Amino acid sequence: MVILDLHTHSEFSDGKISVAQIVEIANSFHYKVGIADHYGPCDKLFSEEALTSYLEYLQKFPVYKSIELDLGKEPVISHQALDKLDYVIGGVHHWGEICFFDGNASVEKPEQLIEGILRLLEKSMEHYHLDILAHPTLLPISLKEKITELIFQTQWAERLIALACEKNVALEISARWPAPDEKFYEMAMRKGVKFSLGSDGHNLEKVCRLEYPLNIVRKLNIPESQIFRPLSTNRSPQTAEK
């Protein structure tokens, strides 16, 4: 099986590494790699004009071309622009004024938050025709001790997996933001969901470091048929496998 790291970030967004360096690292691991820089109103890539320049530059390298849409921030992008990509990743990083990476962020009603996230994901999967949901169980890190309880005891995990099945969206096994319990991946595998492997690497030390995702694949014996692979240079149904 050819191993793909489909979630890396370069200097085109908040990465600290060039595309050429990402390719060099991927070659050293004998992996294939996708560049998926952040696209949204607060990012360097915030317009279709900037996206065009980005894609023209990526064309020089043997990489898959993607972006990570900042869901919930209402990135403005046309379907014509999205169709120029090999695949599209969506990720939730904020909820209202709550930044998920702020350990001091107060979440007074976590059950309402996860319900809102599920509604957002359903809307986004439909609107943007997402191929991959990044770090699917990422919630505000201030809820770290409650995440397992929140996603399983509320049946949120089961509903998210059912949504991914319905919308034909691959769930990322993230090296950076692993699920709190591998039970999540096992449940998804049994439902026939496809998976994407992603380092979410932003620097030299993290790009293509897929030890955790590969361990999950081996431990659960996830079949190759359930690993998402972009097949071509565009997203048409005839050339992209989910």
Side-chain angles (χ1 to χ4, degrees):
M1 180 178 75
V2 176
I3 296 171
L4 285 73
D5 182 357
L6 293 179
H7 191 168
T8 68
H9 295 283
S10 77
E11 295 170 331
F12 276 92
S13 60
D14 60 346
K16 309 301 181 185
I17 184 172
S18 69
V19 175
Q21 288 174 306
I22 293 173
V23 171
E24 183 177 357
I25 293 170
N27 288 341
S28 72
F29 280 94
H30 304 289
Y31 293 172
K32 289 188 175 181
V33 70
I35 312 296
D37 278 301
H38 292 285
Y39 184 100
C42 299
D43 298 307
K44 294 179 183 178
L45 291 176
F46 62 88
S47 68
E48 293 191 14
E49 182 179 5
L51 179 65
T52 297
S53 297
Y54 168 74
L55 295 179
E56 287 176 352
Y57 184 77
L58 293 187
Q59 195 67 36
K60 303 174 184 178
F61 299 91
V63 299
Y64 290 111
K65 302 180 293 298
S66 184
I67 53 175
E68 182 182 4
L69 294 173
D70 191 359
L71 306 180
K73 290 295 183 180
E74 299 185 4
V76 178
I77 188 168
S78 68
H79 289 294
Q80 289 81 2
L82 290 173
D83 286 343
K84 296 177 182 178
L85 304 167
D86 296 326
Y87 59 97
V88 174
I89 298 179
V92 182
H93 309 92
H94 304 81
W95 182 253
E97 298 302 316
I98 299 171
C99 174
F100 286 11
F101 312 120
D102 180 1
N104 297 316
S106 176
V107 182
E108 296 181 0
K109 298 180 179 180
E111 291 82 6
Q112 288 186 10
L113 180 143
I114 62 173
E115 285 297 317
I117 289 173
L118 204 60
R119 291 194 298 271
L120 170 64
L121 291 177
E122 182 174 17
K123 177 182 176 182
S124 299
M125 288 178 182
E126 184 71 30
H127 180 73
Y128 297 111
H129 302 164
L130 298 182
D131 297 294
I132 297 169
L133 176 60
H135 37 67
T137 59
L138 177 65
L139 296 175
I141 59 175
S142 58
L143 296 176
K144 183 177 180 180
E145 303 302 322
K146 299 180 179 180
I147 290 178
T148 300
E149 176 184 347
L150 278 171
I151 70 171
F152 289 118
Q153 293 189 11
T154 62
Q155 285 75 53
W156 187 82
E158 292 94 326
R159 293 160 62 201
L160 174 58
I161 290 167
L163 181 62
C165 285
E166 177 189 348
K167 303 300 184 183
N168 199 21
V169 175
L171 298 178
E172 180 181 73
I173 306 177
S174 174
R176 186 181 182 196
W177 307 104
D181 193 320
E182 66 185 48
K183 173 185 174 184
F184 175 81
Y185 302 120
E186 185 173 14
M187 290 168 54
M189 181 186 71
R190 294 186 184 282
K191 291 295 184 180
V193 171
K194 287 209 169 185
F195 298 95
S196 170
L197 310 185
S199 67
D200 201 354
H202 289 65
N203 56 45
L204 289 168
E205 291 73 29
K206 298 299 183 180
V207 164
C208 289
R209 299 311 302 247
L210 295 175
E211 289 86 352
Y212 176 79
L214 290 172
N215 181 58
I216 290 294
V217 170
R218 287 190 292 263
K219 191 170 184 178
L220 298 182
N221 197 27
I222 297 175
E224 189 171 355
S225 61
Q226 282 182 248
I227 302 296
F228 172 84
R229 294 179 178 279
L231 296 183
S232 175
T233 56
N234 60 63
R235 302 176 67 224
S236 66
Q238 291 77 23
T239 56
E241 177 184 356
K242 288 188 180 180

